[in-house]
Amino acid sequence: MKSAFLPRLVNGPFGDPGLHIGLRWQGGALQFDLGRLDRLPAADVLKLTQVFVSHTHIDHFVGFDRLLRLFLARDATLDLFGPPGIVGNVTGKLAGYTWNLVDGYPWVLNVHEVYPDRVHSVRLRATTAFSPEALGTQPFGGVLHDEPSFSIHTVHLDHRIPCLAFALRERTHLNVRKDELARVGIPAGPWLNALKAAIRAGEPDDAVITARWLDAGVPQLQRLILGELRNRLIVTTPGQKIAYVVDTLFSRPNAAKIVELAHGADVFFCESLFLDEDRDEALKRYHLTARQAGTLARMAEVKHLHVFHFSPRYDGQAERLYAEAAAAFRGELAPDEPV
Ligand SMILES: [Zn+2]
Ligand SMILES: [Zn+2]
């Protein structure tokens, strides 16, 4: 089964947080956090359509300038979501530059400031020197983005400031039965993506799917009925899920929110700045330990835990953090108790 989402951390475990997620079927990409982005190729930055910033501590936001630099002259629209204050953070960064020669630039940046109960949005256009235009305020219930193939959810965590955690969910995973496809006698091609898109969009059973292909160089065309194709060719399995949690206190309210958000995730990306031996430091700085990350992963029944965002104090000891997180995740190390 091919994954719909192609996640990769931009930096190593001691580097700034940043998770780039390619979207296999839709094209384009999503980004969780904007730590240093210089290791992300320009072509991958330019694939981004939506960016989600957990909070604006510098290690999660310093990469905004690379994004700005690469997108500035592009004919593109980017949506950036962040916690309360994000509009001021973005406009503050933009105010640090001079914008008198960009009036022909088509780039549009929509910034969405996410509160627990509402989202306040502004549009910033290069052509007007990023003068903010209000887009209004919408009520909010936790879903940042919703389309037929996937959705993005968020919760507000306590990092002594609000810090957003995210979950990306594929709605259902549609697999093609290769044996039946061979019997249909039409080679695989873009028409299968069109079929999947139509199913995800909830189109009626009598909708027509047009398959085009080449047979010995001769163009062929066949019109097929969606309902028949779905019954014959498509097997539906639960979709892929990715959760992303950074910079948070191991408190009861935070743990409850994380466990619900990340429940059953295929991959759970979770910060673990500290080892259990430095638990007091983690509490003081509103961060997680590797043991706490493993505890959360076990409680959330995720399939795979990926810890990152390690303190430089453990330089050369990454294996200790991985081992501690894995031991708590597997139940070999007793779970930690939230405060
Ligand atoms: Zn951080
Ligand atoms: Zn932080």
Side-chain angles (χ1 to χ4, degrees):
M1 185 170 95
K2 279 188 180 162
S3 302
F5 307 134
L6 307 166
R8 73 177 198 274
L9 290 168
V10 174
N11 300 306
F14 292 95
D16 287 355
L19 179 67
H20 186 270
I21 303 181
L23 302 172
R24 187 193 291 275
W25 310 124
Q26 295 81 5
L30 312 172
Q31 176 82 24
F32 292 148
D33 271 343
L34 296 172
R36 280 183 66 171
L37 291 186
D38 23 325
R39 291 170 72 176
L40 191 61
D44 287 336
V45 175
L46 290 169
K47 278 184 197 151
L48 296 173
T49 54
Q50 292 176 306
V51 172
F52 302 86
V53 175
S54 63
H55 64 304
T56 51
H57 282 157
I58 192 165
D59 51 329
H60 297 254
F61 196 48
V62 70
F64 176 84
D65 277 27
R66 178 160 160 80
L67 199 80
L68 173 64
R69 185 75 189 86
L70 289 169
F71 269 105
L72 184 58
R74 298 278 161 164
D75 186 1
T77 299
L78 189 72
D79 284 279
L80 187 148
F81 300 79
I86 189 72
V87 170
N89 293 122
V90 170
T91 53
K93 273 196 180 263
L94 292 167
Y97 300 101
T98 306
W99 300 110
N100 63 320
L101 294 174
V102 293
D103 48 329
Y105 286 19
W107 188 48
V108 178
L109 175 64
N110 297 322
V111 183
H112 309 280
E113 192 160 289
V114 184
Y115 295 81
D117 62 344
R118 66 192 188 281
V119 177
H120 168 63
S121 303
V122 300
R123 174 162 294 158
L124 303 161
R125 293 187 294 148
T127 194
T128 58
F130 298 111
S131 163
E133 302 160 38
L135 291 179
T137 301
Q138 303 289 331
F140 180 65
V143 183
L144 287 174
H145 178 83
D146 201 3
E147 63 175 76
S149 50
F150 68 89
S151 57
I152 300 171
H153 307 248
T154 194
V155 291
H156 290 71
L157 302 177
D158 179 10
H159 177 44
R160 211 179 296 163
I161 51 167
C163 178
L164 301 180
F166 305 102
L168 168 63
R169 306 179 67 149
E170 184 188 11
R171 209 163 293 282
T172 48
H173 199 91
L174 304 176
N175 308 285
V176 176
R177 293 183 52 184
K178 295 219 167 57
D179 51 342
E180 277 300 320
L181 182 62
R183 273 180 218 123
V184 170
I186 302 175
W191 69 279
L192 286 173
N193 287 341
L195 169 63
K196 290 177 182 176
I199 293 170
R200 286 197 185 97
E203 288 190 19
D205 277 1
D206 59 358
V208 173
I209 301 294
T210 305
R212 289 188 171 82
W213 73 100
L214 292 175
D215 188 358
V218 181
Q220 306 286 325
L221 181 149
Q222 195 170 330
R223 293 186 210 284
L224 303 145
I225 305 301
L226 183 143
E228 289 172 19
L229 286 178
R230 186 185 52 220
N231 294 342
R232 206 167 155 190
L233 289 182
I234 300 293
V235 180
T236 304
T237 53
Q240 195 184 353
K241 179 171 176 180
I242 292 171
Y244 177 87
V245 171
V246 289
D247 295 30
T248 194
L249 176 71
F250 193 57
S251 65
R252 272 172 215 290
N254 277 347
K257 288 181 190 175
I258 292 167
V259 167
E260 191 183 343
L261 180 80
H263 189 263
D266 295 274
V267 193
F268 175 38
F269 289 92
C270 188
E271 71 118 337
S272 62
L273 206 71
F274 295 102
L275 282 167
D276 185 53
E277 66 190 26
D278 294 316
R279 186 175 186 275
D280 291 347
E281 187 78 3
L283 288 179
K284 231 185 329 186
R285 296 184 50 190
Y286 281 55
H287 270 284
L288 296 175
T289 66
R291 181 180 173 198
Q292 291 162 352
T295 301
L296 290 168
R298 187 170 176 81
M299 288 166 72
E301 301 178 305
V302 305
K303 296 190 183 73
H304 186 80
L305 167 65
H306 193 126
V307 286
F308 69 110
H309 201 4
F310 300 162
S311 164
R313 72 171 66 185
Y314 309 117
D315 191 20
Q317 306 176 62
E319 289 312 319
R320 290 183 68 202
L321 289 126
Y322 290 128
E324 183 178 294
F329 180 37
R330 290 195 295 254
E332 295 156 7
L333 176 64
D336 199 351
E337 276 292 315
V339 291

